[in-house]
Amino acid sequence: MIVSNYKSDVELNLKSKTKYAIETENLNIYYGDHHVIKDVSLSIPEKVVFAIMGPSGCGKSTMLRAFNRLLELNESAKVSGDVKIFGKSIYKMNPIEVRRIVGMVFQHPNPFPHMSIYDNVALGLKLNKLVKSRKELDETVEWALKKAALWDEVKNKLEKPASALSGGQQQRLCIARVVAMKPKVILMDEPTSNLDPISTKKIEELIDELKKEVTIVIVTHSPAQAARVSDYVAFLYLGKLIEVGSTIDMFENPKEKLTEEYLTGRMG
Amino acid sequence: MKREVGHIDTFKYFLLPFCLFVFGLFALMLAVYFSASIPIFQHEGLKIYTTNVWRASENPNKEFYGVLAAIYGSVYTSVLAVLIALPLSISFAVFVIDYAPKKIKEPLIVATDVMAGLPTIIYGIWGAFVLVPILKKYVMDPLYAHLSFIPLFSFKPVTGYSYLSAGVLLGIMVTPFASAIIREAYRSLPFMYREAIYSLGATRYEATKILVKEIKPAIVAGLLLAFGRAIGETVAVSLVIGNTFNISPSLFAPGYTISSLIANQFGNAFIYKYMVSALFAAGLSLFFIGLAVNILGILILRRYGHAR
Ligand SMILES: Nc1ncnc2c1ncn2[C@@H]1O[C@H](COP(=O)(O)OP(=O)(O)OP(=O)(O)O)[C@@H](O)[C@H]1O
Ligand SMILES: [Mg+2]
């Protein structure tokens, strides 16, 4: 197993030598007796797009849910090892605090269907008491919807239920909902796997835009998407971290045979 | 593809007679109620619904019936029942799904199903011998002693048989029905919404609040069912309501309900010329109340953007 330490990336090393948005140390995850994530240690630099790819069932979604302690919703899930955000163990933090800093976008667009578009974006702000006045709330909602490139499409129907939007719009609404809270990290679990190519393109452009301010960890089973959007890639296979490094390096010159097979489409 | 469409159509025609049968049966029943009510309408018009009198007489000309007190009592007690069932059934549903340890989850569900299926006379007797004395001693007497200037509490509780007793008993009886519907809707809420709300940094209480809002249609449906069961309930209510032709805003006053009126009076109604017809007319009013409540439910759901 090769775990690159990103030395090849000069630009990043100049920006910040030691600051990582997320680090895992010997992360192991089990569902009951089923050992799903096996001793994964990796470091995700700040303000980059970090892709986690691998075949279906290899544990991508599971690992992602360890980063914001969402795994704890599942009673059978057990975690050992550590996860740190900006150097601090998330297990020494309040899970609610963790989830405010580490936002998440899911595989199926999941805005609350009966809640208005406005309220969906305002929800996280209200829950975490991030705004002080109605005016500030209005402004932040508008700002977030603009960030998510959705404002022009919904500005005249903010009171409509979220279910009135198309799938791609709903996914951008979910991004707006997360962005509104100004998280430092956004986790995305195959955010475009249920969308058409045009919506996919929009979201990929968004990701490019967002990484100026936040770190994005995106799960994808598509090497092509990883190549398009990411700066770094980790390749996960059967719960093991096979290879990690800068996207360009890995696509041009994979060090592991498994990685190469996966990238060239010889593996499912 | 074409053939499949054909199949579906054939199946539709196969189902049609059954549908018509059910609908026809219902229409016939309604027709019977209408025609049996005609004599009383001819005798006194709509006064049967707008007055509170119950004058049986050997002389048909002196007979006069007005069931307003019973209509009032039916609606009053059923609304009370729904108000009581609403928080009970939602909290019970949430508790069973989210909080109950795995081991007691299924037993709890079975227990409520049994509760729902119990013969209502069991509730009635328990209500008359246990619930009414408790309510009188610990709720009615103290409230009357201290707050009798409020109209709701202004009636001196003498026996304890009252709207309140009936409403509470009905509330307990209908909770399992409402709760079952709410519980199943809450259980089948997709996991992705749970993940969504927790990923936004909600506490358990906040998450529950948002998720319960998402199943509002099921809550409305559950409460409609509860109202229907409450207003139709007969035996248990007639044991605790006091069976008095009385219209009072006070929770502690005795009253009547349509169902208990019909049950109590039917036995001797045949002696009089108009009483049977008056009871049919009373029953007919239940149809209308049921209709009104269901329309209300549809309106609520439509406002919610979920009507089908
Ligand atoms: N809630 C759960 N309970 C038990 N086992 C689970 C649960 N969720 C996932 N698993 C198992 O854990 C393994 C990893 O699943 P995971 O969903 O993380 O994979 P994935 O890489 O995200 O796959 P996909 O690309 O299909 O989304 C699988 O073997 C799966 O069967
Ligand atoms: Mg997945």
Side-chain angles (χ1 to χ4, degrees):
Chain A
M1 193 193 325
I2 297 173
V3 180
S4 136
N5 51 8
Y6 316 116
K7 281 210 175 103
S8 56
D9 195 311
V10 180
E11 185 202 24
L12 183 92
N13 275 333
L14 286 177
K15 252 199 288 186
S16 60
K17 243 191 184 82
T18 50
K19 208 169 183 194
Y20 291 115
I22 294 181
E23 294 160 277
T24 72
E25 284 165 13
N26 305 102
L27 185 65
N28 284 281
I29 305 177
Y30 309 78
Y31 288 118
D33 295 332
H34 186 186
H35 196 173
V36 178
I37 292 293
K38 294 164 188 160
D39 215 31
V40 170
S41 300
L42 57 75
S43 308
I44 300 175
E46 212 187 348
K47 290 182 186 168
V48 301
V49 177
F50 189 100
I52 299 173
M53 65 180 189
S56 180
C58 70
K60 306 181 294 292
S61 301
T62 301
M63 191 162 84
L64 204 64
R65 279 163 175 72
F67 297 168
N68 60 352
R69 294 183 64 172
L70 205 57
L71 215 51
E72 286 162 33
L73 293 188
N74 186 331
E75 279 168 28
S76 68
K78 280 191 289 292
V79 180
S80 77
D82 200 5
V83 177
K84 287 180 180 156
I85 51 177
F86 299 101
K88 196 170 170 191
S89 167
I90 59 172
Y91 295 101
K92 296 197 175 101
M93 297 167 73
N94 184 338
I96 289 166
E97 171 78 0
V98 174
R99 291 168 195 156
R100 193 176 62 65
I101 301 172
V102 184
M104 187 154 187
V105 176
F106 298 84
Q107 186 164 358
H108 293 270
N110 57 357
F112 292 97
H114 301 302
M115 208 181 258
S116 72
I117 293 170
Y118 180 97
D119 286 342
N120 262 291
V121 182
L123 188 56
L125 295 167
K126 286 188 194 160
L127 288 174
N128 296 286
K129 300 185 182 61
L130 297 177
V131 288
K132 284 173 201 75
S133 66
R134 174 78 204 194
K135 187 165 162 283
E136 197 185 344
L137 184 65
D138 283 347
E139 285 166 2
T140 315
V141 168
E142 182 177 337
W143 172 83
L145 283 167
K146 279 179 176 157
K147 280 267 166 199
L150 190 60
W151 175 251
D152 288 332
E153 290 155 69
V154 301
K155 65 181 172 205
N156 294 321
K157 50 176 181 180
L158 291 174
E159 293 313 311
K160 286 260 166 64
S163 54
L165 298 176
S166 75
Q169 289 174 323
Q170 289 192 19
Q171 194 63 303
R172 275 178 284 148
L173 182 62
C174 289
I175 293 176
R177 165 172 90 181
V178 169
V179 167
M181 303 206 304
K182 303 197 171 93
K184 294 209 172 77
V185 179
I186 299 180
L187 310 175
M188 298 186 169
D189 189 357
E190 304 197 35
T192 61
S193 65
N194 288 295
L195 304 180
D196 61 283
I198 293 172
S199 304
T200 299
K201 186 154 177 283
K202 275 198 180 137
I203 292 195
E204 288 179 359
E205 284 165 6
L206 253 173
I207 290 172
D208 231 34
E209 185 60 33
L210 287 171
K211 79 169 179 189
K212 290 176 193 156
E213 283 146 49
V214 294
T215 307
I216 293 172
V217 185
I218 181 172
V219 161
T220 175
H221 60 244
S222 143
Q225 184 169 55
R228 281 196 303 269
V229 301
S230 71
D231 305 300
Y232 296 92
V233 197
F235 175 57
L236 213 57
Y237 185 71
L238 295 176
K240 287 201 182 106
L241 181 65
I242 304 298
E243 191 171 342
V244 53
S246 89
T247 306
I248 298 170
D249 284 356
M250 200 188 290
F251 274 78
E252 281 180 354
N253 182 14
K255 296 189 182 64
E256 295 289 313
K257 200 156 173 293
L258 275 170
T259 317
E260 190 186 338
E261 281 176 14
Y262 183 74
L263 293 177
T264 51
R266 268 177 283 151
M267 182 203 296
Chain B
M1 208 58 210
K2 258 209 179 106
R3 190 185 287 157
E4 251 174 44
V5 172
H7 270 282
I8 290 168
D9 269 350
T10 330
F11 192 53
K12 188 169 87 188
Y13 291 121
F14 178 71
L15 289 176
L16 199 61
F18 294 96
C19 175
L20 284 179
F21 178 74
V22 172
F23 189 75
L25 210 61
F26 180 74
L28 267 177
M29 200 160 80
L30 200 59
V32 166
Y33 267 81
F34 261 114
S35 66
S37 309
I38 289 174
I40 193 76
F41 287 139
Q42 283 170 340
H43 180 59
E44 52 178 85
L46 283 177
K47 289 222 169 74
I48 175 78
Y49 294 139
T50 58
T51 56
N52 175 24
V53 242
W54 195 260
R55 199 164 65 226
S57 169
E58 310 283 298
N59 176 356
N61 288 329
K62 287 193 183 154
E63 270 185 87
F64 198 91
Y65 306 102
V67 296
L68 186 62
I71 294 178
Y72 176 81
S74 276
V75 174
Y76 195 176
T77 54
S78 302
V79 168
L80 279 180
V82 167
L83 290 180
I84 290 165
L86 174 69
L88 280 184
S89 54
I90 294 178
S91 0
F92 188 74
V94 170
F95 175 77
V96 167
I97 301 303
D98 279 354
Y99 292 84
K102 271 208 181 89
K103 267 186 230 145
I104 66 165
K105 199 170 261 186
E106 283 311 313
L108 270 178
I109 291 175
V110 171
T112 51
D113 288 348
V114 170
M115 269 181 77
L118 277 186
T120 55
I121 184 74
I122 306 236
Y123 286 96
I125 290 174
W126 174 80
F129 286 104
V130 181
L131 182 68
V132 171
I134 290 177
L135 281 178
K136 179 171 170 351
K137 189 165 172 205
Y138 295 105
V139 179
M140 300 187 209
D141 286 342
L143 281 175
Y144 178 74
H146 300 293
L147 298 170
S148 62
F149 57 89
I150 299 172
L152 268 184
F153 309 136
S154 62
F155 190 94
K156 183 168 170 42
V158 187
T159 58
Y161 297 120
S162 58
Y163 298 119
L164 181 70
S165 303
V168 172
L169 183 62
L170 283 171
I172 294 169
M173 289 171 69
V174 301
T175 292
F177 291 91
S179 192
I181 290 185
I182 296 169
R183 183 187 70 220
E184 287 317 309
Y186 191 64
R187 195 211 295 265
S188 55
L189 207 60
F191 188 64
M192 64 177 188
Y193 294 125
R194 272 167 219 271
E195 289 197 305
I197 187 64
Y198 282 106
S199 77
L200 290 172
T203 62
R204 216 166 169 179
Y205 171 71
E206 289 161 342
T208 305
K209 229 171 48 181
I210 302 282
L211 294 176
V212 164
K213 269 193 204 150
E214 283 297 316
I215 56 160
K216 201 165 150 194
I219 294 175
V220 172
L223 294 182
L224 283 182
L225 178 73
F227 188 90
R229 302 244 7 144
I231 207 158
E233 175 47 39
T234 312
V235 184
V237 176
S238 60
L239 287 176
V240 299
I241 187 133
N243 300 323
T244 315
F245 287 99
N246 183 27
I247 298 179
S248 162
S250 172
L251 287 167
F252 309 152
Y256 234 139
T257 65
I258 297 169
S259 319
S260 58
L261 173 73
I262 296 174
N264 280 330
Q265 302 289 342
F266 217 78
N268 59 347
F270 296 94
I271 305 167
Y272 308 100
K273 183 165 179 216
Y274 289 111
M275 200 190 275
V276 173
S277 180
L279 293 177
F280 267 106
L284 195 59
S285 71
L286 279 182
F287 273 104
F288 291 124
I289 295 172
L291 195 67
V293 168
N294 274 291
I295 289 174
L296 185 76
I298 291 170
L299 290 179
I300 294 174
L301 291 183
R302 182 164 300 162
R303 244 194 56 201
Y304 191 63
H306 222 259
R308 263 169 266 234

